[in-house]
Amino acid sequence: MRPFTVCMSVYKNDRTDDFIKAFNSICNQTVPPSEIVLVEDGPVSDDLEKNIVKLEQTIPHLKVVRLKKNIGHAGARQTALKAATNEFIAIMDSDDISIPNRFEQQLKAFDEHPNVSVIGGLIKEFVETPENVVGERLVPENDAEIKSYLKSRCPMNLVTVMYKKNDILSVGGFIDWYCEEDYYLWIRLAQDNFKFYNIQNNLVNVRVGKEMYSRRGGLKYFKSEARLQWYMFKHGIIGLLRCAFNIVGRFVVQVAMPNKIRGFVFQKLFRK
């Protein structure tokens, strides 16, 4: 199997126990990473820092990048991307759990689809413990389906992806776009004719909470998504009617709906 890097980031609000479980899930793989890049996005808690120092002392292929101030998800992911030394890079969030053969499946998929730049998969969402599954986010499999799906919704589960570093850097990497830096990246890759693939298996168990649906609503979130739809229209990816439909639908769900109703809609319409 080819060498690859796993990129993670942590910040001050991350819980140590959740981080340790997430970190262990990438180490205890059927094909473990040859490098782990961990970005501290600004100062973290004393307890989290103490545990990270212990990991540094015991794992020689762990590289910790400590930022003096918080720069946000896009900046932290871009920092990790540039610090990685391997061409193949996997994303991992600090409170999720990768299944034990996630990376083995993705590396095999790259062998089977050598022209693909990004490979993701499905996620299962859980509360408290991975056994308490509350939803599953399905995404299309092949490149044509993914690029069609992209015209209405984000087609990749970011926390599952493995990608080719140079392809990502060629379109600028992770550029800040409020809560949408991943969707914006997939759009730019599609514009440059890079290819995608989604393994039709669950690759990551994603920790969620009651605040998940509130984060996916509000005027600021809506404006960010609306700007992204307008970007796709301006660049000829979608037509005016599709753009208007996407924006109106997002306004209804993200601004007009109370959180409880939004949660019900996400569970019934946007999740399995």
Side-chain angles (χ1 to χ4, degrees):
M1 289 287 184
R2 69 185 85 228
F4 68 97
T5 299
V6 174
C7 289
M8 298 180 69
S9 64
V10 291
Y11 82 122
K12 64 180 181 180
N13 290 343
D14 285 332
R15 294 173 49 187
T16 302
D17 288 347
D18 294 344
F19 164 73
I20 294 299
K21 290 175 183 176
F23 193 89
N24 286 340
S25 78
I26 64 171
C27 293
N28 300 323
Q29 289 277 319
T30 54
V31 179
S34 51
E35 178 183 60
I36 301 171
V37 175
L38 177 63
V39 174
E40 290 187 1
D41 189 12
V44 298
S45 68
D46 290 342
D47 184 53
L48 185 53
E49 177 64 20
K50 182 172 65 175
N51 279 271
I52 291 172
V53 170
K54 285 182 181 179
L55 292 172
E56 275 186 294
Q57 294 170 345
T58 57
I59 301 177
H61 56 279
L62 171 61
K63 180 191 299 183
V64 180
V65 181
R66 293 176 171 88
L67 303 179
K68 292 182 179 180
K69 63 179 182 178
N70 180 271
I71 61 174
H73 280 129
R77 294 196 195 282
Q78 185 76 347
T79 298
L81 167 65
K82 291 183 175 180
T85 59
N86 292 309
E87 171 64 4
F88 287 80
I89 299 174
I91 290 285
M92 182 65 192
D93 267 8
S94 59
D95 57 357
D96 298 333
I97 300 174
S98 286
I99 66 165
N101 67 340
R102 171 193 166 183
F103 302 141
E104 180 180 1
Q105 288 189 65
Q106 291 181 289
L107 292 171
K108 181 180 178 182
F110 270 116
D111 288 338
E112 294 171 349
H113 306 276
N115 295 326
V116 167
S117 299
V118 185
I119 291 180
L122 313 184
I123 61 172
K124 287 185 178 179
E125 297 170 334
F126 71 92
V127 175
E128 299 295 338
T129 65
E131 294 72 30
N132 185 23
V133 176
V134 296
E136 181 179 10
R137 185 167 190 263
L138 309 180
V139 283
E141 181 176 7
N142 64 50
D143 183 65
E145 294 170 335
I146 288 169
K147 286 173 179 171
S148 176
Y149 192 88
L150 175 144
K151 296 177 181 180
S152 57
R153 295 180 61 201
C154 184
M156 310 293 291
N157 289 316
L158 175 63
V159 296
T160 70
V161 302
M162 180 181 285
Y163 55 74
K164 295 175 181 175
K165 176 177 180 176
N166 287 328
D167 291 350
I168 301 300
L169 286 175
S170 73
V171 298
F174 291 93
I175 298 172
D176 187 45
W177 193 299
Y178 181 73
C179 289
E180 299 291 344
E181 69 273 2
D182 56 329
Y183 197 176
Y184 183 38
L185 174 58
W186 313 143
I187 291 169
R188 286 179 284 119
L189 286 167
Q191 284 180 279
D192 280 9
N193 297 314
F194 289 105
K195 296 186 181 300
F196 304 84
Y197 183 76
N198 277 315
I199 297 168
Q200 295 300 291
N201 296 325
N202 175 50
L203 297 185
V204 179
N205 295 319
V206 175
R207 189 182 303 275
V208 298
K210 294 179 180 178
E211 72 281 359
M212 177 178 70
Y213 301 116
S214 63
R215 289 200 304 267
R216 291 176 180 171
L219 191 58
K220 186 175 181 181
Y221 187 83
F222 163 72
K223 287 181 177 179
S224 176
E225 287 230 348
R227 283 196 306 115
L228 201 55
Q229 299 303 316
W230 187 250
Y231 174 93
M232 286 198 286
F233 167 66
K234 293 271 285 185
H235 287 82
I237 299 170
I238 58 176
L240 184 59
L241 285 178
R242 165 56 68 180
C243 180
F245 179 83
N246 289 350
I247 290 174
V248 170
R250 281 163 168 78
F251 179 83
V252 171
V253 174
Q254 296 166 1
V255 179
M257 281 185 183
N259 287 345
K260 287 185 179 180
I261 298 178
R262 184 183 304 119
F264 177 81
V265 169
F266 266 95
Q267 289 291 336
K268 297 300 181 182
L269 299 182
F270 302 144
R271 296 292 188 270
K272 182 178 176 182

